[in-house]
Amino acid sequence: MAEQGERPSAAGFHLLAIPGSLRQQSVNRGLADAAQRVAPEGVFVTVGSLADIPLYNADVETAGPPEGVYAFADAIRAADAVLFVSPEYNRGVPGVLKNAIDWVSRQTVQTPLRYKPVGVVGVSTGAFGTIRGQAELKNLLAGSIGAYVMHQPDLMVSGAQQKFDDRGALIDPETEQRLGDYLAALVTWTQRVRAIDAIKALGGDGV
């Protein structure tokens, strides 16, 4: 899995941002890149890529998942939380992202998204800001995969043509502020989830 950005320190919070588009100048990739600039202090953001993940094929899985799938699963496992930054295609999750999630839902790579804190954000040129795609993705992650999905706050960026330049880079200060606030909330959510997990591990009920 291709990676960019600063590597996390042992004391830092490691966030893996996964663009749901393969396009190099995608505005969703641009939002993921912007997360590296606006992340709270001590939060290290790595931007991943789905480019090395082939279409899911059970025959290929039986022979052994490709290296790109293992690398993707390892990157998820190494992160404290995962941020999906995805466009909306035909009112739903892009096929390339759904395919990657299908791969890492398999026991052959030890289902790294299960019990993993995740956030879902997205950018669109229209007025609805990927609301339907986010709803479908959150349902998939929480209901089928077993990830710990943060449902509130949300971040749906509309009108991308006014907020990103022609290279896909975020240039809107208000969206940068919203993104920074979202990342801070995701860190807090992750800490709370892990605290509850720790209480349960000691025999408490987490309430």
Side-chain angles (χ1 to χ4, degrees), residues 8-9 11-15 39-45 80 187:
S9 68
F13 184 99
H14 179 195
L15 177 64
E41 184 176 358
V43 176
F44 300 88
V45 179
D80 294 298
V187 172

Side-chain angles (χ1 to χ4, degrees), residues 27-28 86-88 122-130 156-161:
V27 291
N28 283 276
S86 181
E88 175 183 294
V123 185
S124 76
T125 57
F128 295 103
T130 70
M156 302 169 189
V157 182
S158 58
Q161 55 271 47

Side-chain angles (χ1 to χ4, degrees), residues 48-192:
S49 170
L50 305 179
D52 296 330
I53 301 176
L55 291 175
Y56 176 76
N57 182 326
D59 292 336
V60 173
E61 182 188 15
T62 299
E67 181 58 36
V69 173
Y70 279 119
F72 183 48
D74 287 344
I76 293 171
R77 238 184 315 271
D80 294 298
V82 176
L83 177 67
F84 291 96
V85 190
S86 181
E88 175 183 294
Y89 292 171
N90 296 316
R91 304 185 181 185
V93 180
V96 65
L97 179 55
K98 175 60 165 58
N99 175 68
I101 292 172
D102 286 345
W103 265 115
V104 294
S105 71
R106 308 297 294 176
Q107 287 293 337
T108 47
V109 291
Q110 301 177 335
T111 58
L113 280 171
R114 185 172 295 168
Y115 310 129
K116 179 69 67 173
V118 302
V120 176
V121 301
V123 185
S124 76
T125 57
F128 295 103
T130 70
I131 186 172
R132 292 164 295 198
Q134 285 195 34
E136 182 178 292
L137 182 53
K138 288 177 179 179
N139 182 63
L140 167 66
L141 291 167
S144 299
I145 304 300
Y148 294 144
V149 178
M150 184 176 78
H151 291 279
Q152 291 293 333
D154 53 32
L155 179 59
M156 302 169 189
V157 182
S158 58
Q161 55 271 47
Q162 283 82 45
K163 298 170 183 175
F164 294 79
D165 66 18
D166 57 5
R167 297 170 299 166
L170 178 63
I171 56 174
D172 179 55
E174 180 183 356
T175 303
E176 284 191 345
Q177 180 64 50
R178 293 174 61 202
L179 176 59
D181 292 344
Y182 183 93
L183 296 178
L186 182 56
V187 172
T188 300
W189 162 259
T190 301
Q191 292 169 340
R192 289 174 177 170

Side-chain angles (χ1 to χ4, degrees), residues 195-205:
I196 291 171
D197 279 349
I199 292 170
K200 289 181 177 179
L202 293 173
D205 60 10

